[in-house]
């Protein structure tokens, strides 16, 4: 069965990458083990990581959208697409375990520096600080959006 990641993240199917990231950050904060230790939260957390891993990558998202459309329209799906989806789920489980074992602070710091971009290291400390500042604003703003 294919999970509708758009519904899970509470976003439109046309959402851009920034919207996906904001939704992921907001939801992951709610279901991270630091804030929610229920068995249901663990399942939701794993699904959120899976959703982000697929929707944040263009090629995976395009294939996922075809699978989702096939599910909705009841059209047959190529076996390769189903196998790719199952592989994404396995990859996401591994990543989810790592995310669960990390503190929220560690996850947000990793996100901030990844978002700021490694090219900033080559452009100098001013660009790095500017990128981190912009990203920090997005992360914090994304957590509080819709509250």
């Amino acid at each position: 069965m294919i999970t509708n990641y758009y519904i899970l993240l509470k976003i439109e199917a046309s959402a851009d990458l920034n919207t996906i990231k904001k939704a992921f950050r907001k939801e992951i904060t709610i279901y991270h083990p630091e804030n929610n230790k229920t068995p249901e939260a663990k399942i939701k957390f794993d699904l959120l990581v899976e959703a982000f891993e697929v929707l944040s990558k263009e090629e995976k998202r395009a294939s996922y959208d075809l699978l989702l459309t096939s599910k909705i329209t009841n059209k047959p799906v190529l076996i390769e697409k189903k196998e790719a989806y199952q592989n994404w789920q396995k990859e996401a489980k591994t990543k989810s375990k790592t995310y669960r074992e990390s503190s929220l602070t560690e996850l947000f710091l990793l996100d901030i520096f990844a978002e700021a971009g490694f090219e900033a290291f080559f452009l100098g400390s001013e660009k790095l600080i500017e990128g981190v500042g912009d990203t920090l604003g997005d992360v914090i703003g994304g957590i509080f959006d819709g509250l």
Side-chain angles (χ1 to χ4, degrees), residues 8 14-15 18-20 28 33 39-40 44 53 55 67 71 106 119 126 138 140:
L8 183 69
S14 60
N18 284 332
T19 302
I20 293 167
I28 210 79
E40 296 82 16
K44 183 89 174 218
E53 285 302 305
L55 297 182
L67 285 170
K71 175 188 169 195
E106 291 169 333
E119 72 273 1
E126 188 175 304
D138 289 345
I140 292 171

Side-chain angles (χ1 to χ4, degrees), residues 129-140:
I129 291 168
E130 181 183 313
V132 169
D134 290 346
T135 303
L136 186 55
D138 289 345
V139 169
I140 292 171

